[in-house]
Amino acid sequence: MKQVMVFVEQIDGRIADVSIELICEARRLAHQLGAVVSAVAVGSKLMEVLPSLGNYGCKTVYYVEDERLSHFTSHPYAKSVAGVIRKHEPAIVLFGATIIGRDMAPRIASALKCGLTADCTELAIGEYKSLKKTYPNAFLQIRPAFGGNIMATIVSPESVPSMATVRPGVMKLDPADPTLEAEVVVEESGLSRDDFMTEVIEVVRREKSINLGAAHIIVAAGAGAATPASLALVRKLAQTIGGAVAVSRPLVDAGLFSHDHQVGQTGTTVHPNLYIACGISGQIQHRAGMADSKRIVAINSDPDAPIFRVAHYGIVGDLNEIIPKMIDAYKGKT
């Protein structure tokens, strides 16, 4: 039976959120293809956590267990996953567009001589016509192109498998069903000593300064709010309403905030209940990371700013005058 396979990324036995998101998306793709969802995991001491992937629709996890794979290293991981793909021949393989996924996926695609689309923001199954040939169930891989100015649909209908890396946070996470568990099938790594060209001596991790993906309310600052006074108002508004502070790329490039605070195509994709954009023009690169917010309020002095195209409520004016009024209005209601 056809399989839609997901690479399961994990650190110290904790499965990455993006891998669970991709299993949920794989289930939707598999339903259209009449296929099943499977996963491939690499590491050691994961037998207790992998069955829980069945909660989200994964039927089988192919687990390459090897103590030498406790920590990620490019070549051994890529070779192990490529071996599982060769053996089980899935139709589609999905990776998170993370540091690890972006490292592994091209190596695997090169080894398997198959198609790979990077940094997708949407996936679908649909009809594709090429010359006189029609592919009724082609894998459509959709991603921003030309600096984010267009959305491109990429198809590799004769590639087996077709592979894609997908941005974290863009796929819908389904509720877990704790009554379901995945079957774990242990696979031999087949790795020799020569495959380990590097050795991990020490692992140093830095926790994110902020988790925007989990925030229900976000107050975001753009280039129009880059002065110290404006940023102080943005922070005050976020503190008042219990929100997290985010920024667009120019403020990160200027060194005012760390990358953890960035929303957009090259930052974090968010889906908060409320997103307040302060002084953000709203170019497509930024909108790609926040357009699916449940409620968007935009404050900008330019009435033609692109952010107003996705905003549910738009306020044209000076944010240094508007934000204090918003704070006072909120305090007056509480």
Side-chain angles (χ1 to χ4, degrees), residues 238-262:
Q239 183 180 20
T240 301
I241 64 176
V245 175
V247 296
S248 60
R249 182 170 177 171
L251 274 69
V252 174
D253 290 344
L256 298 174
F257 287 84
S258 69
H259 185 263
D260 292 345
H261 288 264
Q262 183 182 332

Side-chain angles (χ1 to χ4, degrees), residues 7 9 18 72 74 96-107 168:
F7 168 68
E9 189 173 324
V18 67
F72 173 75
S74 300
T98 61
I99 293 173
I100 291 176
R102 287 170 171 160
D103 184 316
M104 288 180 55
R107 298 172 187 270

Side-chain angles (χ1 to χ4, degrees), residues 65-150:
E65 185 173 29
D66 191 317
E67 187 67 32
R68 298 171 295 177
L69 298 172
S70 297
H71 301 293
F72 173 75
T73 47
S74 300
H75 177 71
Y77 263 58
K79 184 175 180 180
S80 299
V81 174
V84 171
I85 294 172
R86 283 195 186 97
K87 179 178 179 180
H88 297 284
E89 299 181 337
I92 296 170
V93 183
L94 305 178
F95 300 81
T98 61
I99 293 173
I100 291 176
R102 287 170 171 160
D103 184 316
M104 288 180 55
R107 298 172 187 270
I108 296 169
S110 177
L112 300 178
K113 296 180 174 58
C114 65
L116 170 66
T117 302
D119 212 27
C120 294
T121 56
E122 186 179 348
L123 304 173
I125 302 297
E127 184 178 272
Y128 172 71
K129 294 181 180 179
S130 177
L131 300 176
K132 296 182 179 180
K133 195 166 184 179
T134 299
Y135 301 88
N137 291 307
F139 179 42
L140 310 180
Q141 301 142 83
I142 302 163
R143 56 150 295 161
F146 293 101
N149 291 310
I150 66 169

Side-chain angles (χ1 to χ4, degrees), residues 151-263:
M151 298 300 289
T153 299
I154 300 171
V155 185
S156 51
E158 296 184 353
S159 173
V160 181
S162 289
M163 303 204 314
T165 65
V166 181
R167 293 191 59 191
V170 301
M171 297 304 175
K172 181 181 177 182
L173 186 63
D174 296 330
D177 183 349
T179 65
L180 300 176
E181 287 193 349
E183 177 189 7
V184 179
V185 178
V186 177
E187 302 278 349
E188 294 294 330
S189 69
L191 298 171
S192 67
R193 185 175 180 180
D194 293 338
D195 290 317
F196 292 86
M197 296 174 282
T198 59
E199 181 182 359
V200 178
I201 303 298
E202 182 182 4
V203 177
V204 178
R205 295 194 176 94
R206 178 184 67 85
E207 293 294 328
K208 281 189 173 184
S209 59
I210 187 171
N211 183 9
L212 290 177
H216 296 294
I217 299 174
I218 293 176
V219 182
T227 65
S230 296
L231 289 176
L233 285 173
V234 169
R235 290 190 176 98
K236 186 175 181 181
L237 176 59
Q239 183 180 20
T240 301
I241 64 176
V245 175
V247 296
S248 60
R249 182 170 177 171
L251 274 69
V252 174
D253 290 344
L256 298 174
F257 287 84
S258 69
H259 185 263
D260 292 345
H261 288 264
Q262 183 182 332
V263 170

